[in-house]
Amino acid sequence: MHIVVCMKQVPDSAQIRVHPVTNTIMRQGVPTIINPYDLFALEEALRLRDVIGGEVTVLTMGPPMAEESLRKALTFGADRAVLLTDRFFAGSDTLATSFALAAALTKIGEEFGVPPIVFTGKQTIDGDTAQVGPGIAKRLGFNQLTYVARIVDLAPEVGTITVERRAEGGVQVLSTRLPVLITMLEGVNEIRRGTLEDAFRASRAKIVTWNAADAGITDMTKCGLRGSPTIVKKIFSPPPRAEAAQLIATIDQSYDAIAASVMSEIFKSQPALEDDLMRFSAGP
Amino acid sequence: MSDAPKSAPAPSGRAGTKKELPEHFKAYKHVWVAVESEHGLVHPVSFELLGEGRKLADKRGVELGAVVMGSDPQAIADAANACFEYGADIVYTVTDPVLTHYRNEAYTKALTDIVNIYQPEILLLGATTLGRDLAGSVATTLRTGLTADCTELAIDEEGSLAATRPTFGGSLLCTIMTLNFRPQMATVRPRVLSMPKRTPGRQGRIVQHPLGLAEEDVVTKILQFIADRDSNKAQLAYAEIVVAGGLGLRSAENFQLVKDLAAVLGAEYGGSRPLVQKGWITGDRQIGQTGKTIRPKLYIAAGISGAIQHRVGVEGSDLIVAINTDPNAQIFQFAHLGIVADAVELLPALTEAFRKYLSVNRLAG
Ligand SMILES: Cc1cc2nc3c(=O)[nH]c(=O)nc-3n(C[C@H](O)[C@H](O)[C@H](O)COP(=O)(O)OP(=O)(O)OC[C@H]3O[C@@H](n4cnc5c(N)ncnc54)[C@H](O)[C@@H]3O)c2cc1C
Ligand SMILES: Cc1cc2nc3c(=O)[nH]c(=O)nc-3n(C[C@H](O)[C@H](O)[C@H](O)COP(=O)(O)OP(=O)(O)OC[C@H]3O[C@@H](n4cnc5c(N)ncnc54)[C@H](O)[C@@H]3O)c2cc1C
């Protein structure tokens, strides 16, 4: 079976520094990583491949340097990497992103075999919308399985899949028909290290690189900034609260004395709390 | 982008020309909330959205609508009444056995159909697992804009929805708008908005809509639902008191001090995101933009710097008490009560102070 995993290259949030004066992200020199949530999707795809055979293709839309993330995915054991890159994609919101990715997925189907399963991560750590997976599913007409914790059963010969997915207040066990788009829940597996052969293969692999036209996109008005219904109107610092925090005196005070003032200030500001607490502590 | 292919039709989506609303969208009117109900109960986030939707509708001079989908006529009637009491003028209901449990295909069809027929200008959903699953599908089907996880909704001077959410990695917010498509869609997490007052007996109109889908048409089947056991679930979102720790606590062992204070106060405990990444706490105890939004009466934050992603998750708290060694920490910009002190020393002292006070007063009372 051919499985495709969509991955996004994102700035490593752990390394992000914010400019102390302008409050903007200092992007220079911030290393990029594979969106951490997407590694759960990749590992799940690799596990399926190990059991039922086939190939795993990883797909990224991004700038040329996103090739780095794709190569990394190959070291983990993915078989093929496709980079979708074109300046027409710049400024894409989630609707334009799902348009471009859906086109690339269709093209991948034509070139390398139709994928009955496409994976995405649960969400990214930068845009963080969780909208791209459902967007791809709708555009391709795939059945949509979001927040999947476990694949219980997969029967490619009859075209069915059963999964456990996280729902409000519990876990749903769902079965549906292929093709499906799965957004994988975090923490459900751990990405493998990859073998030495994988690393060797990755270093020499040719990354399939497509621009919009290569992916079969003819209507550029659906791409990038132009194809994005949302626009960022303004970016601003949140105003501090009108009143500054009331500071409790701490100089030359013992911790017990500070604690006593904190408690009394809390009760002064929230008198009802004192009753609540009394009722609670009078309980069992 | 001036060298775009000549064949491309004049785009309505050029950044500069995005302000013009195409003629066929001008009929779109009214503010809607897609109500989330599972297992016969309306999710509180839907009422929170109705409260906010009421303000937006009044500002626009339009009606507030609610969409209720499900299978049990009684549950739907109850939900509709609740919606009226929380401010809806009109409730669109779709009642069909196919809608017994949430399934993407059926709910997407129900919601997109009534949007296409009754044409709201704004459509709001809760940013829950259900709401995110549904909103992404509906927005894509309608080819409109969707802003995720908003922390503030407003109507701008031109009458459009201005949806504000935190940006990545910085301490900044961004306002996102959908100017030339309708409806303007947004999701908001539970507890970000306050619960509106309920007006018992308030009434409105009900419009019924058929689903037009048979069970055989829906290929996804629910085989089983395994409810979470409440006992092992953090109840952060609706807790009255929350005590949380951050990296300033320096070690997993020191995090015990947070739990100790929480135990004495009968509070829930939680923490900043790095603590989840370090494995000090589980993901369901993360507070902030990508964790839980809380609105307790009392929030005590120990060793938390107050990054924007954390701030947006706690700002609705009645009283925010911050303990931080750095007098310039951002958290002091939105805390009500600040203590510049070592949390590792102060937390046990606070725990002890409350313990003593409560036991003495209990004896006295
Ligand atoms: C601060 C900020 C706020 C934003 N807010 C919004 C908003 O409210 N609404 C909106 O429409 N857009 C928004 N955007 C734009 C949005 O981030 C981009 O459209 C982005 O290309 C995809 O969205 P995401 O990062 O939220 O992905 P998500 O929808 O969170 O990603 C889900 C999964 O889709 C896959 N995926 C996502 N992007 C790619 C890609 N480029 N290549 C391959 N796979 C991918 C990954 O598997 C990922 O795990 C915002 C961007 C930023 C930086
Ligand atoms: C997309 C995205 C989403 C995010 N979502 C969330 C989220 O949901 N929730 C969240 O919390 N974060 C989130 N973050 C991370 C956020 O940006 C911050 O990095 C994080 O909140 C910082 O955690 P912290 O305050 O514990 O640590 P730090 O920022 O390292 O702060 C530690 C603080 O402790 C103080 N301190 C040190 N020693 C002591 C002591 N002995 N006693 C008292 N104080 C002391 C320091 O002065 C400092 O202010 C997100 C980030 C991104 C990019």
Side-chain angles (χ1 to χ4, degrees), chain A residues 163-185:
Chain A
V163 303
E164 287 177 8
R165 77 175 280 266
R166 171 112 300 265
E168 291 299 311
V171 172
Q172 266 184 345
V173 186
L174 287 178
S175 91
T176 194
R177 300 197 62 80
L178 302 174
V180 288
L181 181 126
I182 294 178
T183 85
M184 209 61 206
L185 203 63

Side-chain angles (χ1 to χ4, degrees), chain A residues 13 125-126 128, chain B residues 168-169 245-250 271-275 286-291 302-307 309-310 323-326 329 341-344:
Chain A
S13 70
I125 60 164
D126 59 348
D128 182 35
Chain B
F168 171 68
L247 280 180
L249 293 175
R250 294 194 303 266
S272 62
R273 185 166 86 162
L275 304 204
Q286 178 187 324
I287 297 170
Q289 184 199 348
T290 46
I304 293 178
S305 60
Q309 293 88 3
H310 190 81
I323 309 169
N324 198 303
T325 42
D326 176 6
D342 183 346
V344 178

Side-chain angles (χ1 to χ4, degrees), chain A residues 11 13 16 18 22-25 27 87-88 90 95 98 123 125-131 134-135 138-139 143-144 146-147 162 165-177 219-221 225-226 228-241 244-248 250 255-256 258-259 262-263 265-267 269-270 273-274 276-278 280-283, chain B residues 1 3-5 9 11 13-14 18 36 43 102 104-105 108 128-130 132-133 136-137 140-141 143-146 148 164-165 168-179 181 219-228 240-241 263-266 273 289-290 297-298 308 311 318-319 332-340 342 345-346 349-350 353-354 357-358 361-362:
Chain A
S13 70
I16 289 226
V18 177
T22 60
N23 247 337
T24 49
I25 305 176
R27 277 187 188 270
R87 66 205 163 80
F88 283 113
L95 195 73
S98 69
Q123 63 196 54
I125 60 164
D126 59 348
D128 182 35
T129 64
Q131 287 166 195
K138 269 292 156 295
R139 288 184 180 278
N143 291 311
Q144 167 176 329
T146 51
Y147 306 104
T162 304
R165 77 175 280 266
R166 171 112 300 265
E168 291 299 311
V171 172
Q172 266 184 345
V173 186
L174 287 178
S175 91
T176 194
R177 300 197 62 80
D219 186 354
M220 297 301 172
T221 66
L225 211 51
R226 293 199 296 173
S228 298
T230 63
I231 60 165
V232 176
K233 191 74 182 185
K234 63 171 181 191
I235 298 185
F236 61 103
S237 288
R241 253 172 22 88
Q246 174 194 347
L247 287 187
I248 303 267
T250 51
Y255 284 104
D256 288 339
I258 302 172
V262 172
M263 187 171 68
E265 284 303 328
I266 288 175
F267 287 150
S269 141
Q270 298 286 311
L273 256 185
E274 194 169 352
D276 292 352
L277 277 178
M278 222 66 88
F280 162 74
S281 72
Chain B
M1 294 202 176
D3 50 358
R14 285 288 288 264
K18 277 193 169 182
E36 173 171 341
H43 194 296
Y102 174 75
N104 178 273
E105 305 152 84
T108 300
T128 57
T129 50
L130 189 161
R132 282 175 162 222
D133 186 275
S137 298
T140 309
T141 310
R143 304 284 191 266
T144 191
L146 170 58
T164 296
R165 60 175 311 216
F168 171 68
S171 282
L172 296 172
L173 297 167
C174 63
T175 300
I176 296 180
M177 307 191 68
T178 298
L179 292 177
F181 289 90
V219 300
T220 302
K221 306 290 176 199
I222 297 172
L223 307 182
Q224 204 187 344
F225 182 79
I226 309 157
D228 293 334
E240 300 264 283
I241 304 179
V264 166
L265 297 175
R273 185 166 86 162
Q289 184 199 348
T290 46
K297 291 181 182 160
L298 171 63
I308 190 78
R311 175 175 176 169
D318 291 342
L319 179 65
F332 292 129
Q333 292 191 2
F334 58 91
H336 304 89
L337 207 56
I339 308 110
V340 180
D342 183 346
E345 300 281 352
L346 184 57
L350 258 181
F354 276 110
Y357 181 83
L358 292 172
N361 283 276
R362 181 168 44 160

